[in-house]
Amino acid sequence: MQRPKTPESRPIFLYTPEQRVRRDSTVWTLIQGILAPLQFAAFLVSVVLVLRYLAWDIGYGAATASILVKTGFLYVIMITGAIWEKVVFGQYLFAPAFFWEDVFSFVVIALHTAYVWALITGALTPQQEMWLALAAYATYVVNAGQFLWKLRMARLQQEAANAAIGKEALA
């Protein structure tokens, strides 16, 4: 089955030239670049501790502490990410370039917050808390994948734009 043919058009870029300048010049880009791998490291440690608790019923305190650390990173990266989005796109959340990533981020935050609520209220058993944490982590992995994909697309688009500029200069 063939795709329908579409008229030639200019590619849609993730960032306008002005947005790219703002992205590259704000400290919030660096902060996001530092926080994201730290959050991922906290996630990896926590997954191991949660799975250890679920498998052998040991280390509840360590698993719980690791989930809270991971959740703290999530909240900080969400706040700083909203500031970054305001600086780059002029709005705190749901800029068209990152709309679906932001929507899914709220699912991630809701599940992490549900875990904290369950922990504070004692609404779930320890095993149920851990399963809720794993559900939150699964959504985090999807959301992280969305952002990584978007970063890759931005890099590829910039390379294509640079190549096009180079060809025009040669002509």
Side-chain angles (χ1 to χ4, degrees), residues 14 32 65 75 85 94 99 103 107 115 127 134 140 144 146 149 157 160 167 170:
L14 188 59
Q32 290 296 103
Y75 289 155
E85 210 165 316
F94 305 114
F99 179 83
V103 167
V107 175
Y115 169 83
Q127 289 79 15
L134 289 178
Y140 161 73
Q146 286 179 300
W149 176 257
Q157 288 174 348
K167 285 180 184 178
L170 292 174

Side-chain angles (χ1 to χ4, degrees), residues 53-54 57 60 64 67 114-115 117-133:
Y53 174 76
L54 287 171
D57 200 33
Y60 174 77
T64 299
I67 296 165
Y115 169 83
W117 173 83
L119 180 67
I120 290 169
T121 63
L124 299 176
T125 67
Q127 289 79 15
Q128 291 169 330
E129 290 171 8
M130 296 301 145
W131 284 108
L132 178 56

Side-chain angles (χ1 to χ4, degrees), residues 22 28 37 49 93 123 132 150:
R22 289 192 300 268
W28 296 107
L49 294 172
L93 290 168
L132 178 56
K150 193 63 67 112

